[in-house]
Amino acid sequence: MTTTIVRPAPTVAHTKRALLARHQIVAPSLKVADGAAASVFGAARLRGPIARDVIAQVTGLSIATVNRQVTALLEAGVLRERADLAVSGAIGRPRVPVEVNHEPYLTLGIHIGARAVSIVATDLFGRTLDVVETPTPRGPQGVALAALAESARRYLSRWHRRRPLWVGVAAGGVVDSTAGSLDHPRLGWSNAPVGPVLAETLGLPVSLASHVDAMAGAELLLGVRRPPSHASTSLYVYARETVGYALSIGGRVHSPASGPGTIAALPAHSELLGGTGQLESTVSDEAVLTAARKARIIPAEGPASTMQALLRAARQPHSQAQGLLAERARVLGEAVALLRDMLNPDDLVVGGQAFTEYPEGMSLVEAAYAQRSVMPPRQIRLTAFGNRVQEAGAGVVSLGGLYAEPIGAMRRASRKDATA
């Protein structure tokens, strides 16, 4: 007689644990790392080619520690020696400069927007090698995720001479970085397993971050700035189709476990722009376009009914188009002032196409900000990445693990289908 063993159906929790065990889902590292290997790699990235004794000077590490870390980083493949640049007459390897070995590698960044997805190839310096933009996949969640992963796979297949190391995803909505899942109401996604699907398709570690946190991380790690002090704070305010903010404290983007806060419902009033009395519904691209269509500045529909068409009209110049964009700048400036007065950061950065696509409006943003703020004057700094801020954010999510733990990250990247 044959005995049949009936196994219980897997629970949701069991299935989730199995997914995490099979795939390399890694929480993003949006911080200035201070480990020995990270410090040495950072010195080479920012100052290379650089000699070991100079690395010791700029990092404060002992020369023995620097030598050990350089040897390990050379073995991992992320640094290379430049014997051709050695000081003439110098004796011994410590005087042979090292630099980042960037040419064999790339990382893949993916920015998931409400309307478009940007897929970005980035080198180890954080420089964009290439970017493509496609419409955000629609339809059932599973179908959309499969289409996204397939687009990324086809894109990577084009890179024959560079080895991909990591995938970084930046997206709106509510992100669970530990599980690699995403709730995105505008796309109809709920607990979408973005990380596991990409990891299974691409066979690479995947990190997932809120897109505004990612953009703040790009300013922190890739922006041309002095390293922040352990006590400094920076406020990043974003506006385009959505609005958001992120706060960096002591060289680390503050990412609450429950997800980022929202400024979409901050009070904002504009008779010209309309809206519901809340910030996002007043200053978003769609709100501005709706007002422009209502005023017949641009057609109600068709290829000429876009933000680019409105911007062209403002530069003709078209007084009504300029008036709408000036009003948006005013509302944004007052919102930035409100946030600055609440949080009083040491550094204040704004980014997103609501600021960068119409630089003529920045003086109006600054004027409204100065008039509304009750705190002592503090300068607004425009993002270092201009209209490329979304791709920079996705890129830094793909690089954060390498910058924080370069040796461990290279080991993880070498394990196909390894346990996270």
Side-chain angles (χ1 to χ4, degrees):
M1 179 177 178
T2 303
T3 302
T4 302
I5 300 175
V6 179
R7 292 184 173 84
T11 65
V12 172
H14 178 271
T15 302
K16 187 174 182 179
R17 286 195 300 272
L19 280 171
L20 292 176
R22 287 173 52 204
H23 303 299
Q24 296 198 64
I25 310 304
V26 185
S29 182
L30 302 176
K31 64 179 182 179
V32 178
D34 55 6
S39 297
V40 171
F41 182 74
R45 178 172 67 89
L46 297 172
R47 298 169 179 261
I50 185 171
R52 291 163 174 79
D53 57 342
V54 180
I55 293 175
Q57 293 171 16
V58 299
T59 62
L61 299 170
S62 70
I63 190 65
T65 299
V66 168
N67 282 331
R68 285 195 300 271
Q69 298 303 327
V70 166
T71 298
L73 291 165
L74 289 168
E75 291 174 353
V78 292
L79 290 187
R80 63 186 177 191
E81 290 186 317
R82 291 293 305 273
D84 56 311
L85 298 179
V87 177
S88 178
I91 300 174
R93 293 184 65 192
R95 295 303 300 169
V96 177
V98 294
E99 66 181 7
V100 173
N101 187 26
H102 63 95
E103 291 169 352
Y105 307 112
L106 65 81
T107 61
L108 188 73
I110 302 174
H111 178 265
I112 303 173
R115 298 184 177 182
V117 169
S118 296
I119 302 178
V120 187
T122 305
D123 74 5
L124 301 193
F125 288 107
R127 300 176 300 200
T128 296
L129 299 171
D130 180 65
V131 59
V132 296
E133 188 173 283
T134 62
T136 301
R138 301 294 173 177
Q141 176 176 297
V143 174
L145 289 179
L148 175 68
E150 179 59 20
S151 294
R153 187 197 65 77
R154 287 198 305 269
Y155 181 78
L156 275 182
S157 70
R158 295 162 40 185
W159 294 89
H160 303 296
R161 297 185 179 181
R162 287 181 183 258
R163 173 187 158 201
L165 298 177
W166 209 280
V167 182
V169 182
V174 179
V175 168
D176 183 338
S177 295
T178 302
S181 62
L182 172 66
D183 290 336
H184 201 307
R186 297 185 68 175
L187 297 178
W189 295 2
S190 177
N191 198 30
V194 177
V197 169
L198 286 169
E200 182 173 29
T201 302
L202 304 177
L204 293 169
V206 180
S207 297
L208 176 63
S210 156
H211 69 153
V212 182
D213 284 357
M215 295 172 204
E219 297 292 334
L220 192 65
L221 295 174
L222 302 178
V224 184
R225 300 280 292 172
R226 291 178 301 172
S229 71
H230 291 295
S232 66
T233 58
S234 178
L235 172 64
Y236 184 88
V237 182
Y238 172 82
R240 188 186 191 183
E241 191 56 56
T242 60
V243 294
Y245 81 101
L247 190 65
S248 298
I249 305 172
R252 177 192 293 265
V253 177
H254 176 59
S255 300
S258 57
T262 179
I263 59 173
L266 282 181
H269 175 73
S270 171
E271 292 184 5
L272 190 59
L273 292 172
T276 63
Q278 297 179 341
L279 182 61
E280 187 167 285
S281 68
T282 303
V283 301
S284 69
D285 279 4
E286 190 56 41
V288 176
L289 286 172
T290 298
R293 291 164 185 150
K294 185 177 179 181
R296 298 185 179 179
I297 300 169
I298 58 175
E301 56 185 19
S305 186
T306 63
M307 278 301 299
Q308 292 303 318
L310 179 60
L311 289 165
R312 284 194 297 270
R315 290 170 177 139
Q316 284 180 352
H318 187 297
S319 59
Q320 282 184 292
Q322 289 180 330
L324 280 181
L325 295 174
E327 179 69 353
R328 182 195 218 184
R330 178 193 68 80
V331 177
L332 283 170
E334 292 184 353
V336 171
L338 180 62
L339 287 166
R340 184 267 166 138
D341 287 359
M342 286 193 299
L343 299 171
N344 194 23
D346 300 306
D347 190 30
L348 177 58
V349 187
V350 297
Q353 280 75 359
F355 296 103
T356 59
E357 275 195 328
Y358 191 61
E360 300 94 322
M362 268 309 296
S363 61
L364 304 174
V365 171
E366 292 166 345
Y369 158 79
Q371 185 173 0
R372 176 64 178 80
S373 177
V374 298
M375 299 288 287
R378 178 148 296 151
Q379 183 180 8
I380 298 177
R381 181 165 61 86
L382 192 62
T383 174
F385 301 99
N387 285 340
R388 300 185 302 103
V389 67
Q390 287 86 2
E391 65 189 64
V396 85
V397 178
S398 72
L399 286 165
L402 183 75
Y403 286 1
E405 296 183 54
I407 297 170
M410 290 299 289
R411 289 173 181 160
R412 186 185 289 271
S414 298
R415 291 181 291 173
K416 296 288 185 181
D417 301 317
T419 300

